[in-house]
Amino acid sequence: MAKLVLSMNGSVLGNYFLEKERFSFGRKPTCDIQINDQGVSKEHAVILTVGNDQILEDLGSTNGTLVNGEKVQRHILQNGDVIEVGRYKLRFVNAKAMPDMDFDKTLMIPAFDRTKLKQEGAVKDEADTQSIATAAANARNVKTIFPLGAVRGISGENTGREIDLSRSITTLGKPDNSAIITRRPVGYFITHVVGKKHPIVNGKAIGDDPYPLDNLDQIEVGVDKLQFYLK
């Protein structure tokens, strides 16, 4: 399970497991981690667990939130990331968290193994562990380039509006009913964040896991209806 290691000036002050879908930190006593520092806002930031990802989001704090020395608004946390708020540091620990590129290349390994290696006659047995290892090593060197995507408002508050999906994370909906679209090397994925009603893609509600988007898919998040397309 993912956790945060709170420290100041190199001294560890506590370990906090991310057992909740929404995990907050700030000066208020109601925060999951209360940090008594004037450089920290009352409700400074939150970590949302969405599927297998933990997403850090700054809540409009006065002094901002840093990850590995850079100021961020939203950030998909990776194992070893260091969050800085005021004089305190929160190290994110999750052995399962991998960079997007490595994660998506891992997904490409099975297809690479069953097609390319067989065509070359290198694999006679799919259980051949040496061939699988070779395929994995080769797949790590593949660079995937995916076209830029966007969404266009069909109805609701975003009617007629076009939103480029150039960032790694784009939020749709409202705070009490929202979803995110993540941009990865192999494509775009929509994921439910909060709210009783899950996003709908082409008339069907998606589950809790990231859902891959295809060109011209129609998306519904709350009262908004949008169309996803590739440029």
Side-chain angles (χ1 to χ4, degrees):
M1 179 179 292
K3 70 175 181 178
L4 296 173
V5 181
L6 177 67
S7 65
M8 186 179 70
N9 298 327
S11 298
V12 174
L13 304 177
N15 291 268
Y16 301 86
F17 288 94
L18 301 178
E19 299 175 324
K20 301 168 60 177
E21 290 184 359
R22 187 182 190 278
F23 192 95
S24 61
F25 48 91
R27 290 205 328 270
K28 288 182 68 174
T30 53
C31 290
D32 295 295
I33 301 180
Q34 184 183 12
I35 301 176
N36 291 314
D37 186 327
Q38 289 304 310
V40 178
S41 296
K42 292 181 179 180
E43 291 181 318
H44 196 97
V46 66
I47 294 176
L48 303 172
T49 296
V50 182
N52 294 321
D53 293 325
Q54 277 76 37
I55 301 171
L56 170 70
E57 181 171 0
D58 183 87
L59 297 177
S61 64
T62 302
N63 295 317
T65 302
L66 302 181
V67 176
N68 303 327
E70 295 186 6
K71 193 172 184 178
V72 301
Q73 177 59 40
R74 294 186 186 89
H75 175 78
I76 298 179
L77 291 167
Q78 306 298 330
N79 186 40
D81 278 351
V82 177
I83 305 165
E84 296 181 54
V85 289
R87 297 174 297 161
Y88 291 78
K89 293 183 178 181
L90 293 155
R91 184 164 59 90
F92 177 73
V93 179
N94 184 6
K96 293 183 179 180
M98 301 174 65
D100 281 351
M101 183 64 80
D102 289 342
F103 172 78
D104 290 318
K105 285 175 181 174
T106 301
L107 293 180
M108 294 165 59
I109 290 172
F112 188 93
D113 173 49
R114 286 192 292 270
T115 55
K116 183 174 176 60
L117 292 179
K118 279 189 175 182
Q119 290 172 2
E120 295 176 352
V123 176
K124 294 182 180 179
D125 185 352
E126 289 191 2
D128 187 336
T129 55
Q130 182 60 45
S131 296
I132 292 174
T134 302
N138 289 337
R140 295 181 200 279
N141 295 322
V142 176
K143 290 185 178 180
T144 306
I145 300 175
F146 200 82
L148 178 65
V151 290
R152 181 186 297 109
I154 299 174
S155 62
E157 296 184 357
N158 288 304
T159 302
R161 182 185 175 194
E162 294 190 2
I163 304 171
D164 280 342
L165 303 175
S166 56
R167 296 178 297 174
S168 59
I169 305 172
T170 301
T171 303
L172 301 176
K174 296 183 177 181
D176 61 345
N177 189 356
S178 64
I180 59 169
I181 294 180
T182 54
R183 184 186 186 190
R184 296 184 175 182
V186 295
Y188 288 87
F189 296 78
I190 185 168
T191 309
H192 175 65
V193 177
V194 294
K196 294 181 179 180
K197 187 178 180 181
H198 283 54
I200 295 172
V201 177
N202 299 329
K204 295 183 179 180
I206 68 170
D208 292 327
D209 295 328
Y211 186 92
L213 291 172
D214 290 328
N215 190 36
L216 302 183
D217 276 350
Q218 290 196 359
I219 303 166
E220 295 178 50
V221 180
V223 298
D224 288 331
K225 189 173 184 178
L226 311 102
Q227 184 174 55
F228 168 79
Y229 64 97
L230 298 174
K231 292 191 170 184

